[in-house]
Amino acid sequence: MLGPWLHDWRGPQGRRCSFWETRPMEEALATLLRPQYLDLLVSSPALPLPVGSCRPEPEPLERFGRRFPLAPGRCLEEYGAFYVGGSEASADLDLDPDLSRLLLGWAPGQPFFTCCPDTGRTQDEGVRAGRLRARRHYLVERARDARVVGLLAGTLGVARHREALAHLRNLAQAAGKRSYVLALGRPTPPKLANFPEVDVFVLLACPLGALAPQPSGGFFRPVLAPCELEAACNPAWPPSGLAPHLTHYADLLPGSPFHVPLPPPDSELWDTPAVSLITGELRPPPAWKPSDDPGCLALTLRPQLELAESSPAALFLSSRSWQGLEPRLGQTPVTGAVSGRRGIAIAYENEGSS
């Protein structure tokens, strides 16, 4: 079966190649490719190592939820990619989370090919990668326009998840947004539709547990990755096309080579004018204040000595036509309690039989 797979994807001698494959076919495909490519990488999923096992030396590079055994002095951006996976029954490969992570993060200047094991047909994924990057740019713009951000705690057992939540909340606060932490288990459209006040959601999960790109109409509000919120809220983040696509939230935290600290409050980066590419309106600069500033409170004083809650969720509720049951305190007479109907809705006891 391997011969037809390689017929349409022959590169020059000495070209660097990296590919992904299931374990049974991995060694057979690597044996066929090694005479053609002098520098060959075989990737494997970045699953947790067994307890008591020793880490390999040198330690492989972990990116996109996978491990790459890079040789010293090598860089992953120098390699082309060959992905073996999927099936003929899959309607849209854009919704494959594993392939989507690789297409978004792989170097745009390097070739990326896929092969379907059911048909043996190879395909250049340059067009699909460009479509996924365009959707990622759209999600970043949605996050920049958002006022309320919902942080979905998709994992509570992975290391540094509390630090990552604090980092994302600090990002939202620095950009002048209100954030709420939600623990809902695996996100589904019915669950997230219960929070219409939230403009965008950010899923905090391990790389292998992240959601695939959703089709249009899947979720009521878009679900972003942590790196997309970083690109939207951190003005010091590299511009589009130069910033890496990070699938693990730990890469955004201090100590990581990809960590970009927030600029100080008096930096000119916060005053850079920005125009929304969705609405066409000019975004106001965020009034960023340190968290220990006494003026950064949820309650503000009005001239009439009244306390008003400055909450985007409260403003959204006030704009709705139906806000729940009317309490009408002090407007109804006080009466004694009476016995109500008993039974189930289909047949109460006092209704008789029909």
Side-chain angles (χ1 to χ4, degrees):
M1 295 174 59
L2 301 179
W5 294 358
L6 303 179
H7 182 269
D8 299 330
W9 199 65
R10 293 291 187 181
Q13 288 285 346
R15 191 176 189 178
R16 297 186 178 94
C17 169
S18 176
F19 76 94
W20 301 272
E21 173 53 73
T22 56
R23 180 62 61 178
M25 302 291 292
E26 180 178 296
E27 292 302 326
L29 185 55
T31 303
L32 263 178
L33 284 172
R34 282 195 177 98
Q36 183 75 13
Y37 298 93
L38 302 180
D39 194 353
L40 181 68
L41 292 181
V42 181
S43 171
S44 60
L47 301 176
L49 297 176
V51 178
S53 62
C54 299
R55 290 187 173 272
E57 294 293 341
E59 189 172 353
L61 174 67
E62 186 171 332
R63 295 283 301 277
F64 322 125
R66 289 182 168 269
R67 294 190 179 97
F68 299 87
L70 278 175
R74 294 297 191 186
C75 182
L76 192 60
E77 286 73 15
E78 302 173 352
Y79 290 80
F82 188 75
Y83 181 90
V84 181
S87 64
E88 189 178 9
S90 59
D92 192 354
L93 288 179
D94 289 353
L95 307 183
D96 183 356
D98 191 26
L99 180 58
S100 300
R101 287 191 300 266
L102 296 169
L103 289 175
L104 282 172
W106 207 257
Q110 296 295 339
F112 197 112
F113 285 78
T114 59
C115 177
C116 177
D118 294 344
T119 61
R121 184 174 61 250
T122 60
Q123 182 177 353
D124 187 358
E125 299 296 342
V127 176
R128 180 176 285 116
R131 185 165 59 245
L132 289 175
R133 293 190 187 99
R135 173 171 175 78
R136 178 173 181 260
H137 297 163
Y138 167 76
L139 293 178
V140 171
E141 285 296 315
R142 287 290 299 268
R144 287 171 178 161
D145 294 342
R147 297 181 57 193
V148 183
V149 179
L151 305 179
L152 303 177
T155 177
L156 298 177
V158 181
R160 306 183 71 182
H161 74 276
R162 293 180 181 271
E163 186 179 352
L165 278 175
H167 175 73
L168 295 180
R169 296 193 68 177
N170 189 30
L171 274 177
Q173 179 187 358
K177 308 178 188 299
R178 185 66 59 88
S179 62
Y180 299 93
V181 179
L182 307 173
L184 305 175
R186 181 167 183 82
T188 59
K191 289 181 182 179
L192 301 188
N194 292 319
F195 304 94
E197 301 86 357
V198 179
D199 296 322
V200 294
F201 294 94
V202 180
L203 178 60
L204 186 71
C206 65
L208 299 179
L211 290 177
Q214 298 298 319
S216 58
F219 281 95
F220 182 66
R221 293 285 189 261
V223 181
L224 284 68
C227 69
E228 293 165 350
L229 182 66
E230 182 89 27
C233 299
N234 190 349
W237 190 256
S240 176
L242 300 178
H245 179 70
L246 306 176
T247 56
H248 202 314
Y249 58 80
D251 293 332
L252 304 174
L253 302 179
S256 169
F258 301 102
H259 172 68
V260 178
L262 284 171
D266 55 352
S267 175
E268 296 180 355
L269 294 176
W270 296 106
D271 300 328
T272 303
V275 177
S276 172
L277 299 181
I278 299 177
T279 63
E281 300 177 355
L282 182 66
R283 298 191 190 98
W288 190 78
K289 295 182 179 180
S291 58
D292 56 353
D293 190 297
C296 184
L297 301 176
L299 299 178
T300 56
L301 190 63
R302 285 184 176 178
Q304 296 84 1
L305 300 181
E306 297 178 359
L307 290 178
E309 183 181 3
S310 58
S311 170
L315 294 177
F316 179 84
L317 179 63
S318 63
S319 65
R320 300 180 64 175
S321 59
W322 188 80
Q323 302 177 9
L325 300 178
E326 298 180 1
R328 303 181 63 182
L329 298 178
Q331 302 179 14
T332 55
V334 179
T335 59
V338 296
S339 177
R341 292 183 295 180
R342 300 178 59 185
I344 60 178
I346 193 174
Y348 292 104
E349 293 181 358
N350 59 347
E351 290 182 348
S353 59
S354 59

